[in-house]
Amino acid sequence: MARPIRQFYKGGFWHILNRGVAKMDIFRNKEDYGFYLYKIKETLEKYPIGIHAFNFLPNHIHYLMEQTTDEILPSNFIASVHTSLGNYINRKYTRVGHLFQDRCKVKDIKEDKHLLTISVYINLNKVLEELQHKEKSIISKNELEKLLKKAENDPWSSYPVYLGLREDGITNAKFILSLLSDDVKKAREEYKKLSKELLTSGYFLKTRDLIFE
């Protein structure tokens, strides 16, 4: 059965997810992540896609992307970057075959109000993953603050860019922040506050059964 053709369009936003083949790790060390970031910056010059958020975990990746022209699709960008990464990883670790499991999962984000929550989900995905795999159901304030502080210093996520803690030459955080306030400083403060509220409220399925106190 033929795969359905994806309908990308200028001005559209997509949550893009891909996993390592058989859920195996894509990245094994800092050098692998560093190469991936380098290829992203290089490929953006050829395929100027809008990247509004990202998070790279050992065995899967998340993006919030916007198609900014009629000709260049998110799939063009992903195919180029992931082909380069696959070749690099295969040479480095003397492996063969595909690095990623099938093609990316792509979800069209139709409304601006969902962009904020999707961006938080992506930016804090490592925190969500860690909380999901904790054996206890009660998370202390101290534990949560440590996880959020770790996210603020994560070099493989756009969360620090949203808080004004670093620039990475990749993330366009201004548009989504502008949904909170035209004042950038206030918008960053509101985004940090919103991120914590969404995390602890049970809004995300991965934290729905946890108690924060």
Side-chain angles (χ1 to χ4, degrees):
M1 183 177 178
R3 292 175 172 178
I5 297 174
R6 287 169 171 166
Q7 299 298 322
F8 292 109
Y9 54 91
K10 182 180 179 182
F13 287 80
W14 289 271
H15 177 195
I16 295 175
L17 164 68
N18 209 351
R19 295 186 181 278
V21 66
K23 298 184 179 180
M24 295 176 64
D25 282 355
I26 302 162
F27 309 102
R28 305 189 191 186
N29 53 43
K30 291 180 180 180
E31 288 74 24
D32 297 345
Y33 285 107
F35 176 84
Y36 191 50
L37 285 178
Y38 165 77
K39 292 307 296 185
I40 289 170
K41 291 178 183 179
E42 183 179 74
T43 306
L44 281 172
E45 296 180 8
K46 183 178 180 181
Y47 299 113
I49 290 294
I51 298 179
H52 292 269
F54 69 84
N55 205 335
F56 309 140
L57 290 81
N59 69 351
H60 66 283
I61 57 98
H62 288 272
Y63 285 102
L64 178 55
M65 282 190 182
E66 177 188 7
Q67 182 173 324
T68 55
T69 71
D70 288 317
E71 298 82 15
I72 297 173
L73 312 181
S75 53
N76 299 143
F77 174 86
I78 290 291
S80 180
V81 174
H82 286 186
T83 296
S84 295
L85 180 64
N87 291 336
Y88 167 82
I89 294 295
N90 283 354
R91 287 195 304 268
K92 182 176 179 180
Y93 298 108
T94 319
R95 70 180 297 276
V96 294
H98 296 294
L99 180 63
F100 288 93
Q101 179 177 298
D102 202 15
R103 62 176 182 171
C104 294
K105 294 181 179 179
V106 177
K107 182 176 181 180
D108 192 355
I109 312 302
K110 297 288 189 182
E111 299 180 43
D112 284 357
K113 66 181 181 180
H114 295 143
L115 291 174
L116 271 167
T117 53
I118 290 294
S119 74
V120 172
Y121 178 83
I122 291 172
N123 279 328
L124 294 185
N125 203 260
K126 290 188 184 77
V127 177
L128 288 165
E129 288 282 319
E130 193 162 343
L131 287 170
Q132 184 183 34
H133 292 100
K134 281 189 176 293
E135 294 182 357
K136 56 186 178 181
S137 60
I138 299 177
I139 309 300
S140 70
K141 180 179 179 180
N142 186 50
E143 285 179 287
L144 181 61
E145 290 302 326
K146 285 182 179 179
L147 288 173
L148 290 172
K149 181 58 67 174
K150 187 176 178 181
E152 291 177 10
N153 293 289
D154 184 359
W156 322 124
S157 159
S158 55
Y159 187 58
V161 180
Y162 272 75
L163 302 188
L165 300 174
R166 95 161 178 256
E167 290 294 332
D168 59 15
I170 295 172
T171 309
N172 175 13
K174 292 181 180 178
F175 174 72
I176 291 177
L177 287 174
S178 73
L179 300 176
L180 292 169
S181 174
D182 291 331
D183 182 318
V184 176
K185 184 178 179 180
K186 182 179 179 181
R188 286 170 175 162
E189 292 171 351
E190 289 297 315
Y191 191 86
K192 184 176 182 178
K193 180 181 177 182
L194 174 66
S195 298
K196 187 173 181 179
E197 288 175 352
L198 288 172
L199 198 65
T200 58
S201 67
Y203 181 88
F204 298 123
L205 183 62
K206 292 182 179 182
T207 60
R208 198 154 290 170
D209 296 325
L210 299 178
I211 298 170
F212 296 89
E213 62 176 26

